[in-house]
């Protein structure tokens, strides 16, 4: 979709998503084992973060993973046989199986996708180029469907992801309803000018689009432009719903792409019932849970993908480690441009992230490139010289090894650099410690992880809200049906349903990894702890603070993490000779208020790594009770919060004035919010908190008196939050902002109820206050009272929603809440006579014929168990009609007659008919089911088919009456038959899906516009039509049409033959053309059947072409023609394709890159006996390429003109950034016919 525009943006991608964790990257070390999450990431090959995010989503879809595992080697073949020419190996699903097994069982921090991308046919350039993940999702599913043809998993994608949408258009003049059904594997929803997913779905599947004024609809029934209304509904929901967000748009003024970064919310659980065509089922049938969010960080010209994933089977370890003292250092953290230009700070920051501060010099340069997005040579070499020379000059900071292969940071410099980074990071502290106010952790504690290429980190469910907006925001959403239950044996069992051969392979690989790791294990087990000594601290203002200085109060201790907590305690006793009494070790962390003790460490027999003591941990050493005589609160529940408290100043006489005083105060997060009055010595009053997330600026929300007993954490307050205290005599006006008083009265939610009961009232409509949890019955009774209507109306009335066109919709049941009924605040309801249908009844609209005018539909209430035949009879009686030549059709989303209700004995409930649906009474018998309408074209290639050519000349007048597609030759150029494609339209065929291809050809021979004399259907060759050219060759006369999966829009062209043809499964049809010596042109094409049973090799093809033209194989050269580029690619049996990443030869297969040979391709042939040069192009190719250049030049000039025009409008012109050319994404799959 966006191709090469998505370049990997390393400047915004952190290599360390842990909390201060430093990674070792030694060349001789084996792959790192899984981290504490027990989940494996995927290594980035350079630009494959988009692929990694999608693969992790598929891997954490257990139903997809297990369906793939269920396909055995007998169906897919074996990877060991993939290089054998006669082997039928489905490489892509096999490599996916192996990758999933590695992610489940291989004890590695990250696995590689190199074998999988090789099976895609990707080169090293493709692996370095980033693409759009939404585009990859569709292409990968298509490749899998093609790879699994003929296996038991042929419907895997269809079964899990396929859904249908029904569209309707209704003509406002004749009421004709047109219905169209569409298939989808993912839903694409708008982001621009939409607040969230539910609003987008409401706009797509609830709201109607009206065609009027300058945008009229052409009605086939009226045969003119008319007003019409269009709507859509979800007809069939898949088990797994994929939603793509349209975050990338195009600015037509600036003539450039941009990313939509506005707030776009989406729920953790969504009820799709309001958006579905059938809605009479239980709500659980429409409930979907979010389980994956693919996130894009960056802009539309560069960025990075990672994914938030819900661990459905609890395969991972979802535990949180405490914050570490050494933060990650990204380019975003370095706010000052002078610091970015200082290589000393950048290099020290990189070395601080390495354990022992040691790294190979070569890797230091690579990490610098990833950190700042530019290499050392381009950024610093001109001013500072080579990297090694710079390290030598600054020997007081960096220590190079004797062979200058590695560098480390001296300890004094390490401490200084770390303090600099901590000071730099404090600017972002408020942002980093912010918590979500909307999404909270559920009691069930769903396990969510952030998988960022190789890194896997647990996150909390509320962290998803951070991806609602901004440059780092959600890009794809994946939901699973709530009713899908996992078997108990699958829980926390990664070996569940993994094939035996993969289990054996992974077990052997893990044994080999264990042996390699044992050799270098001793170098990776030391951690650095920061010991904070209790006697050197005092408790003040809700937190611990050093008595003298931080340096004297904190000691650094290097310790073996394999030792136990008891060993650590004993070591500290020996270190602190002055210590007397009990010693308690607790994990502490720095907060804005000071140092806070979070958790006391217990279990002296446990190793430090077992109790998750990590590198850089802060340990508070004390007696476990008090510090300086004051009892210390501990635990995360009472973590101190630093709040900004505003209150009205008092005069010397004790009276309040209008001046506000702001002062910092610290409160425990588990304290009641009412304690603010005690802290400020205010007897009583009102507390307001600042809602910084409101649109358009700040707003203050009053806390009700009953909520004053809630804690600060329950109210969503966090460090840096503002609290306003008002005395009880201040009234409602509290603050001034820009000269205006902010009112504390919140906006009232309401519904508008109109009187449609045919009874007179003083007012035509009233506003009723309500919330989403208000019951409809209460609203109806309030409306009757406020309209001052008769009380008897309460027993015989109902509320009906009114759409924007003024139409009354289906009555809302009294028992439902507004949320259950799908009603929005501000909606209009009509108070109408008559009771609402019960839970077992259906309220239906119906109309006579397909020409339905708005407001002319009739209404009936029937039982949902009534049959179609009885329902039809009731409607006929109400219309005063008789007869048996009528049938019912359901109105589709286009307000046109949709699919007929064929099963007359079926119950309405069984056919998913629900309240509010519109049924149409249509006269006439039902049309036949299971039929296709196929447009037929006549394809006449230039060639030695003189019999057909002569006959075509005689009947040319007949054919010319139909539509013609023809690529005409360039005037003045020699005849080049390889560019000629002529198609004549013959007509449409209505044929059964169960009919064979031979029967289709027979019926096509009877079309009136075809006047050729064809002996039999075997003398016709059938192709699909793609891009106005013959596409896929349809083989087998006796194969049923439905087996070809033609689709509803498929068109077929027929090509005449001189003799009967019956192609085998290994026969490939090619069109060869001999190059005319000295003329730079080609002769007429000759059809050549090439048997590929022994492989798609270049030598085999050369031999076949040489036999056709009776020439020695060494005296010919052949090339494939690409008509869209006017280019020829020579085919040589001696060419060897070698990848840069792997020094091995690829199999010589013309099906793969760069030829992608298929049926119908043109092969140019050159006779070296009379013409010995490398040029295959013709005069027409030269002219065609020149035209392509002219078109490209014209487009570039247009863009430059628009850019210049937009620069006149804009006062500030941004510097142009060079972009790489867009490249399409493709996955190459072999033929499995």
């Amino acid at each position: 979709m966006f191709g090469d525009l998505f370049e990997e943006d390393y400047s915004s991608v952190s290599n360390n998503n842990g909390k201060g964790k430093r990674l070792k990257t030694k060349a001789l070390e084996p792959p790192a084992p899984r981290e504490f999450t027990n989940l494996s990431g995927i290594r980035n090959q350079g630009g494959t973060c988009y692929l990694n995010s999608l693969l992790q989503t598929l891997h954490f879809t257990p139903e997809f993973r297990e369906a793939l595992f269920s396909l055995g080697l007998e169906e897919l073949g074996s990877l060991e046989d993939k290089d054998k020419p006669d082997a039928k190996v489905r490489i892509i699903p096999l490599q996916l199986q192996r990758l999933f097994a590695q992610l489940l069982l291989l004890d590695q921090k990250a696995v590689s996708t190199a074998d999988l991308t090789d099976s895609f046919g990707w080169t090293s350039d493709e692996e370095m180029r980033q693409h759009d993940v939404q585009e990859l999702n569709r292409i990968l599913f298509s490749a899998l469907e093609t790879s699994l043809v003929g296996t038991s998993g042929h419907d895997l994608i269809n079964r899990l992801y396929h859904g249908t949408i029904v569209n309707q258009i209704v003509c406002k003049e004749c009421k004709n309803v047109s219905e169209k059904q569409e298939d989808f594997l993912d839903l694409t929803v708008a982001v621009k000018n939409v607040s969230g997913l539910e609003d987008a779905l409401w706009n797509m599947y609830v709201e109607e689009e009206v065609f009027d004024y300058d945008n009229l609809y052409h009605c086939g029934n009226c045969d003119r432009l008319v007003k019409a209304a269009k709507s859509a509904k979800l007809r069939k929901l898949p088990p797994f719903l994929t939603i793509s967000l349209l975050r990338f748009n195009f600015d037509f003024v600036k003539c450039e792409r941009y990313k939509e970064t506005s707030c776009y919310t989406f729920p953790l659980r969504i009820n799709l019932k309001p958006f579905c065509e059938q809605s009479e089922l239980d709500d659980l049938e429409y409930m979907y849970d979010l389980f994956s969010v693919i996130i894009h960080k960056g802009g539309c010209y560069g960025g990075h993908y990672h994914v938030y994933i819900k661990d459905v089977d609890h395969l991972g370890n979802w535990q949180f480690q405490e914050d570490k003292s050494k933060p990650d250092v990204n380019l975003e953290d370095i706010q000052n441009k002078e610091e970015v230009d200082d290589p000393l700070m950048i290099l020290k920051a990189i070395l601080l992230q390495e354990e022992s501060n040691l790294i190979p010099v070569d890797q230091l340069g690579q990490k610098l490139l990833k950190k700042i997005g530019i290499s050392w040579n381009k950024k610093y070499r001109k001013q500072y010289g080579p990297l090694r020379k710079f390290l030598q000059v600054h020997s007081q900071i960096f220590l190079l090894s004797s062979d200058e292969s590695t560098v480390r940071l001296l300890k004094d410099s390490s401490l200084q650099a770390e303090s600099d980074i901590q000071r730099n990071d404090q600017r972002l502290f408020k942002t980093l410690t912010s918590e979500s106010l909307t999404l909270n952790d559920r009691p069930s504690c769903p396990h969510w992880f952030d998988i960022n290429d190789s890194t896997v980190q647990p996150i909390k469910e509320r962290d998803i809200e951070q991806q609602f907006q901004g440059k780092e925001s959600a890009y794809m959403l994946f939901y699973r049906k709530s009713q899908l239950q996992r078997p108990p044996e699958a829980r926390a069992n990664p070996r569940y349903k993994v094939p035996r051969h993969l289990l054996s392979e992974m077990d052997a690989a893990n044994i080999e990894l264990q042996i390699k790791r044992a050799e270098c294990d001793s170098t990776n087990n030391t951690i650095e702890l920061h010991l904070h000594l209790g006697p050197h601290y005092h408790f003040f203002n809700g937190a611990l603070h050093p008595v003298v200085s931080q340096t004297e109060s904190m000691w650094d201790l290097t310790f073996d993490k394999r030792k136990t907590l008891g060993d650590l305690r004993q070591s500290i006793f020996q270190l602190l000779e002055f210590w007397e009494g009990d010693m308690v070790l607790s994990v502490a962390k720095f907060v804005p208020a000071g140092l806070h003790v979070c958790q006391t460490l217990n279990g002296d027999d446990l190793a430090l790594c077992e109790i998750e003591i990590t590198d850089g941990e802060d340990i508070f050493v004390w007696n476990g009770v008090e510090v300086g005589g004051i009892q210390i609160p501990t635990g995360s529940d009472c973590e101190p919060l630093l709040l900004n408290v505003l209150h009205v100043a008092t005069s010397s006489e004790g009276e309040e004035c209008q001046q506000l005083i702001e002062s910092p105060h610290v409160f425990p997060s588990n304290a009641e919010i009412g304690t603010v009055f005690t802290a400020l010595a205010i007897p009583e009053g009102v507390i307001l908190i600042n809602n910084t997330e409101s649109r358009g600026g700040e707003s203050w929300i009053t806390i009700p008196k009953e909520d004053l007993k809630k804690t600060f954490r329950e109210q969503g307050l966090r460090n840096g939050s503002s609290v306003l205290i008002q005395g009880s005599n201040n009234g409602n006006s509290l603050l001034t902002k820009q000269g205006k008083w902010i009112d504390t009265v919140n906006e009232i939610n309401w519904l508008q109820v109109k009187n449609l009961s045919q009874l007179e009232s003083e007012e035509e409509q009233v506003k009723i206050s309500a919330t989403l949890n208000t019951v409809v019955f209460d609203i109806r009774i309030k409306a009757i009272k406020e309209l001052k209507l008769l009380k008897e109306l309460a027993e015989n009335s109902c509320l009906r929603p009114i759409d924007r066109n003024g139409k009354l919709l289906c009555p809302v049941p009294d028992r439902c809440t507004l949320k259950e009924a799908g009603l929005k605040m501000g909606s209009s309801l009509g108070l109408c006579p008559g009771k609402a249908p019960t839970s077992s009844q259906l309220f239906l609209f119906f109309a006579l014929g397909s020409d339905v005018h708005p407001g002319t539909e009739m209404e009936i209430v029937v039982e949902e168990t009534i049959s179609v035949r009885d329902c039809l009879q009731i409607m006929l009686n109400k219309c005063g009609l008789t007869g048996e030549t009528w049938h019912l059709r359901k109105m589709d989303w286009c307000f046109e007659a949709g699919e007929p209700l064929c099963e007359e004995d079926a119950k309405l409930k069984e056919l998913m008919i629900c309240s509010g649906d519109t049924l149409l009474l249509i006269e006439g018998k039902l049309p036949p089911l299971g039929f296709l309408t196929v447009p037929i074209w006549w394809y006449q290639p230039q060639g030695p088919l003189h019999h057909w050519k002569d006959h075509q000349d005689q009947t040319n007048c007949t054919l010319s009456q139909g539509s013609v597609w023809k690529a005409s030759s360039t005037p003045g150029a020699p005849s080049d038959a390889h560019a000629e494609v002529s198609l004549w339209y013959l007509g449409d065929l209505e044929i059964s899906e169960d009919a064979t291809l031979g029967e289709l050809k027979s019926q096509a021979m009877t079309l009136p516009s075809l006047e050729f004399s064809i002996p039999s259907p075997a003398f016709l060759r059938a192709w699909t039509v793609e891009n106005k050219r013959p596409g896929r060759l349809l083989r087998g006369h006796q194969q049923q049409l439905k087996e070809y999966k033609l689709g509803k829009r498929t068109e077929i062209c027929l090509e005449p033959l001189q003799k009967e043809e019956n192609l085998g499964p290994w026969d490939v049809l090619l069109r060869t053309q001999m190059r005319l010596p000295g003329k730079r042109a080609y002769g007429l094409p000759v059809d050549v059947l090439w048997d590929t049973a022994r492989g798609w090799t270049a030598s085999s093809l050369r031999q076949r072409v040489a036999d056709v033209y009776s020439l020695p194989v060494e005296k010919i050269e052949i090339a494939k023609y690409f008509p869209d580029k006017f280019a020829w690619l020579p085919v040589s049996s001696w060419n060897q394709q070698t990848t840069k990443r792997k020094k091995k030869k690829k199999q010589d297969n013309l099906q793969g890159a760069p030829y992608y040979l298929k049926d119908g391709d043109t092969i140019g042939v050159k006779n070296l006996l009379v013409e010995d040069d490398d040029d295959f192009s013709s005069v027409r190719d030269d002219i065609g390429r020149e035209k392509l250049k002219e078109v490209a030049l014209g487009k570039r000039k247009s863009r430059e003109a628009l850019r210049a025009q937009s620069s006149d409008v804009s006062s500030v012109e941004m510097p142009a950034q060079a972009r790489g050319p867009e490249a399409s994404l493709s996955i190459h799959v072999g033929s499995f016919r």
Side-chain angles (χ1 to χ4, degrees), residues 529-587:
L529 302 176
H530 305 305
L531 303 181
H532 301 269
L533 309 182
H536 294 176
Y537 278 80
H538 68 284
F539 188 79
F540 171 73
N541 201 18
L544 293 165
H545 301 270
V547 176
V548 182
S549 67
Q550 189 70 50
T551 305
E552 295 185 11
S553 303
M554 185 179 72
W555 292 16
D556 291 335
L557 175 64
T558 302
F559 201 74
D560 191 336
K561 64 182 179 182
R562 293 173 295 183
K563 293 186 178 181
T564 64
L565 179 62
D567 296 333
L568 175 62
R569 197 187 311 274
Q570 188 63 32
S571 297
I572 297 176
F573 263 121
Q574 296 174 2
L575 186 65
L576 306 178
E577 298 177 355
F578 62 85
W579 192 272
E580 295 181 359
D582 295 335
M583 177 184 287
V584 175
L585 303 181
S586 300
V587 176

Side-chain angles (χ1 to χ4, degrees), residues 64-65 130 155 170 231 243 272 288 390 403 407 448 473 509 685 788 814 834 868 930 990 992 1008 1162 1198 1207:
F64 177 89
R65 183 181 68 227
Q130 188 177 118
D155 61 341
V170 59
S231 63
I243 298 177
L272 297 178
Y288 281 75
F390 180 83
D403 59 354
V407 62
W448 282 85
S473 50
K788 299 179 181 180
D814 282 345
V868 174
E990 187 177 275
S992 171
T1162 298
S1198 299
S1207 64

Side-chain angles (χ1 to χ4, degrees), residues 576-648:
L576 306 178
E577 298 177 355
F578 62 85
W579 192 272
E580 295 181 359
D582 295 335
M583 177 184 287
V584 175
L585 303 181
S586 300
V587 176
K589 75 171 183 177
F590 284 101
V591 295
L595 186 70
H596 176 64
V597 179
C598 300
Q599 176 187 3
T600 300
L601 299 176
N602 297 312
D604 283 1
D605 56 339
L606 297 177
L608 297 187
C609 58
E610 293 177 331
I611 58 177
E612 297 183 359
I613 298 297
T614 54
D615 191 24
E617 198 81 79
D618 292 292
I619 304 295
F620 191 66
V621 185
W622 61 316
N623 60 14
V625 179
E626 50 84 21
V627 173
I630 300 177
Q631 189 170 355
I632 304 300
T634 63
S636 58
D637 291 341
C638 60
E639 179 179 318
L641 296 177
L642 181 61
L643 305 178
N644 296 320
V645 180
L646 296 90
H647 60 94
V648 180

Side-chain angles (χ1 to χ4, degrees), residues 685-702:
V686 178
I687 298 179
L688 299 92
I689 59 176
N690 189 5
N691 179 19
T692 58
E693 295 184 358
S694 64
R695 291 193 175 187
E698 298 181 347
S699 66
W700 294 86
I701 300 176
T702 305

Side-chain angles (χ1 to χ4, degrees), residues 455-475:
T455 306
V456 182
Q457 289 290 334
I459 60 172
K460 295 183 179 180
E461 203 170 50
R462 63 172 176 261
D463 294 335
I464 300 174
E465 186 178 357
Q466 299 173 8
Q467 309 304 331
F468 283 172
Q469 61 185 338
K471 289 189 175 181
E472 183 177 10
S473 50
Y475 192 54

